Every structure is written in C-alpha cells, then in structure tokens.
Amino acid sequence: MASAQATTIERVISPGGIEAWLVHEPAVPLIAVDFAFAGGAVQDAPGKSGTATLAVSLLDAGAGDLDSKAFSDRLERKAIQMGFSAQRDTIRGTMRTLVENRDAAFDLLQLAVTAPRFDAKDVEISRAQVLSLLRRETTSPADIANRRWWETAFEGHPYGRPVNGTADTVSSISIADLKSYVHRVLTRGNLTIAVVGDIDAGTLKPLLDRTFGALPEKPELVPIANVAPQGLGRRIEVSLDVPQTVVDFGGPGILRQDPDFMAAYLVNHILGGGSSASRLYQEVREKRGLAYTVSDGLVWLDHTAVLLGGTATRADRAGETIDLIQSEIQRFAETGPTFEELMEAKKYLNSAFVLNLDSSTKIAALLVQLQLDRLGPDYISRRAAMIDGVTLEDARRVAKRLLDKGLLVTVVGKPQGFVSTKAN
C-alpha cells in the first residue's frame, strides 16, 4: 500500500451526482469501500432507542429476493466482507472485495442498502442478540460507567440515550419502525463514500449510481440541538461487587472545526492521549502504581465535543486515584506543557499518523472521516504543517481553555475514599 504522504485523493462524481473520494492503488487486487449516512442513533424515535442499532444489524441479513441464508452464502462464496454499525451521529458501512468479484460485491451492497428485507424471523434473532448484549452490559463495570457518564452529561438530549437502547425500548421496536428508520436516514443526500484499491474513476462512476442511485434523494432527519456536557464537578458512584473499580471522567472538548483543535489535539496527547509518556500515565501508573493504564481522548460529534478518559484501580485506592487525576488535570490546565513535551508530541503524532495508514481499509476509513469533518482532500498533505505550527503559547492557552472547566466522574465498584456528590 502506498504511504499516506504519497496518497493521491481524487474526487469522483458519478453521472447521477453521487460523490466519492477515491485512492487508486493497483498494487493489490483489493477494493475497500467505506461510507456513512449522517443521522445515526440520535435519529431513533423517542422511546425507541436502539432502532438504528437493530436496523443496521439486519441490512445484510437478507435483501431483495435473497433471504438471510442466501445472502450470507453469496458473500461467503465470493469472499466478500460487509458490515454496518450505528454510531451516535452516523450509520457506517464497509465492504471489502477482491477485484475479480467486484461486480457481485457492489450488487450485494446495493441490495443491502436499498432493499433490506427485515424478515420477522431475522428481526427476532437480531433482537435477541441485542438484548443479550444489553444484559451483559448490566454487569460490566466499564459499560455501566460509560453509560452513566453519557446519560448524566447529556440528560434530556439524544446524546444521553444509549446507542444500543435498553431492554424495554429494544423490545418495543417493530418492523415498521425499522423500515421507517432506513427510509428516513439511508439516502443519497446525507451519504459520504470513500473507495480505495484497484479501481479507477471511470470504472467507479457507474458503480456508484448502480449501488446507491436507488436510495431516496433526501433524508428526513429530526433537528438535533447543539449541547454542552452537564454535571461538571459531580462525582457519581454506582455500587457493584467487582474486584476492580472502574472510573470514567470527562468534560467539555473542542469541535473539529474549531481553530484551536490542533493545539487541543497536542495538549490531549501530552496529558493522557494513550502514550506511556503522557502526564497521567506517568503520575498514576509509573510513579504510584495505582492503575495498569489511564488515558483520555478528544471526542467530537456533530452537536457537541467532549474530553473523555478512564482507568481502573483497586477499590482501596480509588479515591486516591481519582483525586490524583483531577489534581493533575488542574495543574496541567494552569501550567500547560513544557517546550520539550510539545516537541515530542509533534514528532510522535506526525510519525504515528503515517505509520497507521498502512492498508486500504485504514485509508478508506480516514477518507470518510475527513469528509464528515469537512477537512478537504488536501488535509493529509497539510496536516504535518498544521501540527508544527502550534506554538508553546498556543498549547498553554488551549490547555487552560480545554481543562479548566471541571470534570464529571462516574465510578463503578466498591470505591473507598470516594464520596458521591448530588446534582447541582
């Protein structure tokens, strides 16, 4: 696969007006297609959370004149990989195929997105699988902490609803609900596509129309309000008899289109972005051995942005661990990074970006995200200069902006030295 720096992105527009970003890479006889429909779980009807999740689990479980077994057999015989997932703001899809099976793969994808069957038997099988997942989540401290964090931070907003729904809401979803959802959300007007592999623009254009042309023209999306995370300063305990105490912590983040985003990206990496050199990792694990790992990351959505992190520790060290995380974040907000930390972060993030784009699959996923983030096809070539252009003054200013608003903390287990706080 060509390196990220050498990747040439071509904007392809079909005769029917469907756009895709294409990276033509003939060295490997594979084609990777990634796509997204804006909408996602936030478009679940009130009282029907989990509709998006259940709907997308059925897109490749029978479509057109092929029942679920026949559809699966066609995929397997041709070694075609296809998958769909529901996220808060998007429905994501992927398709992978050998070049020799290209036409069959695009035809099956066309059936999945334009003519899913939602046969009653398959709906009940998928519903049972989602309900089983939800039952497991009720005993998973990590899932409980995450769910409690989101429902507290975004109480009363669609972001506060669980993407997979609840046992009650999933049980209430009808086949009519599923059909209505895909009709409203799976349309040409909110579709983003990326294609990487051994296919040229001339070949791709008619395939785009053949695959996606029969979708409805425009989505019927319910408007979603912009929102900021609430509950900052709160500490919430969920009692659960488990060996380790799980901690989620977070606060306001920064939107992807914000001019300060790249500085915030660097600041977050230095604070707790997954590297063993991060401030939180060094303070929590290396110096005190309080946890195996600790990290945080920037999460940007269409209508909000958060900084969200987590760790797990012994119950008798939970209070100490949380106090340390909060004090270190506050200290970093006040002082920001050192010059040396900033230079190391720039070096790491530039190198890691290139090394991570070593396959058609990874590049296709990136191209979809770049389009959703409205960053332009030249972003890959501009990115290093944008990172290098962040000054120490920028980083220190943005550290205060990003980290000085307090945290919402959710803790699951039997924490000692930890006191829950009431809602403001």
Side-chain angles (χ1 to χ4, degrees), residues 364-387:
L366 172 67
L367 297 190
V368 168
Q369 194 60 49
L370 293 184
Q371 292 177 79
L372 293 173
D373 290 340
R374 304 188 303 281
L375 293 175
D378 62 342
Y379 173 80
I380 291 176
S381 62
R382 292 187 291 112
R383 181 182 181 277
M386 294 166 67
I387 286 178

Side-chain angles (χ1 to χ4, degrees), residues 209 246 301 307 315 364:
D209 284 338
V246 172
L301 299 170
L307 180 146

Side-chain angles (χ1 to χ4, degrees), residues 10-60:
E10 183 177 0
R11 291 180 66 235
V12 175
I13 300 178
S14 74
I18 298 173
E19 179 178 343
W21 285 12
L22 169 66
V23 172
H24 181 205
E25 177 48 75
V28 181
L30 298 170
I31 299 171
V33 180
D34 272 48
F35 54 95
F37 295 95
V42 295
Q43 293 299 319
D44 290 348
K48 301 279 186 176
S49 61
T51 301
T53 295
L54 186 57
V56 300
S57 73
L58 289 152
L59 294 180
D60 58 354

Side-chain angles (χ1 to χ4, degrees), residues 308-337:
L308 189 58
T311 190
T313 187
R314 284 168 31 185
D316 62 346
R317 308 296 294 276
E320 179 185 356
T321 302
I322 295 162
D323 289 343
L324 177 62
I325 289 170
Q326 291 197 283
S327 64
E328 186 60 28
I329 289 175
Q330 187 57 44
R331 186 168 74 89
F332 194 57
E334 294 168 358
T335 64

Side-chain angles (χ1 to χ4, degrees), residues 3 99 148 255 277 348 377-378 397 403:
S3 71
V99 172
R148 189 63 179 271
L255 293 169
Y348 178 90
D378 62 342
R397 173 179 55 81
L403 304 172

Side-chain angles (χ1 to χ4, degrees), residues 195-243:
V195 182
V196 179
D198 189 9
I199 184 171
D200 58 28
T203 305
L204 178 60
K205 287 179 182 180
L207 283 173
L208 292 174
D209 284 338
R210 196 165 97 196
T211 305
F212 300 106
L215 289 168
E217 181 181 0
K218 294 181 179 179
E220 301 172 18
L221 302 181
V222 175
I224 305 298
N226 293 335
V227 64
Q230 305 301 306
L232 304 182
R234 288 191 64 190
R235 291 182 167 197
I236 298 171
E237 176 187 343
V238 179
S239 181
L240 190 68
D241 190 11
V242 289

Side-chain angles (χ1 to χ4, degrees), residues 58-78:
L58 289 152
L59 294 180
D60 58 354
D65 59 356
L66 301 175
D67 65 16
S68 57
K69 184 179 186 307
F71 196 95
S72 177
D73 287 347
R74 293 266 183 107
L75 291 175
E76 188 172 348
R77 284 205 307 271
K78 298 288 187 179

